[in-house]
Amino acid sequence: MAVMFHNGSSLGRDVSRLRFMAEKAVEAAQVSALDLTQMLEQRYHQIDEVNELMRAQSCIRVAISEYFQGPKSTRRPSLSVRILNWAFGARTKARPRMF
């Protein structure tokens, strides 16, 4: 999907162009009518999310990271949760943070 979302008069055209592209992609899918409706609603929702993301006044890097990875938790888990994770959790290495 191309991301445009320019400021000014082309704002509505960018979103409508992306919605048009989503409609054409869904039309080409070979699934039931109910699935087509759900797919189209999902695509519209994704376009709206990216539109809001691109217009936010906050840091775009943090917003994109949260979009793909979920919100960053800064609170340390309680002692009971850490014990349960130690006892029953999967043994995986922590990945180094990229930023």
Side-chain angles (χ1 to χ4, degrees):
M1 175 187 334
V3 178
M4 294 165 242
F5 304 116
H6 303 287
N7 289 328
S9 63
S10 66
L11 172 63
R13 288 185 303 190
D14 292 341
V15 173
S16 64
R17 185 179 301 125
L18 290 171
R19 285 179 175 254
F20 173 78
M21 291 166 50
E23 290 166 5
K24 292 301 177 186
V26 168
E27 285 175 12
Q30 296 178 353
V31 292
S32 69
L34 179 62
D35 290 337
L36 288 175
T37 304
Q38 290 175 343
M39 284 175 60
L40 189 58
E41 288 177 12
Q42 179 186 11
R43 299 267 173 118
Y44 283 168
H45 179 70
Q46 290 172 333
I47 290 169
D48 293 339
E49 279 186 325
V50 173
N51 186 16
E52 290 176 24
L53 182 72
M54 299 301 288
R55 300 212 178 290
Q57 297 297 318
S58 61
C59 176
I60 189 70
R61 184 178 183 180
V62 171
I64 289 173
S65 176
E66 286 180 357
Y67 177 81
F68 288 108
Q69 298 175 354
K72 188 170 27 171
S73 175
T74 57
R75 213 175 83 194
R76 188 174 180 177
S78 67
L79 179 61
S80 58
V81 170
R82 287 187 280 155
I83 291 171
L84 288 171
N85 284 339
W86 174 78
F88 301 107
R91 308 271 188 231
T92 59
K93 278 189 168 182
R95 292 186 301 167
R97 295 188 59 138
M98 298 306 259
F99 45 90

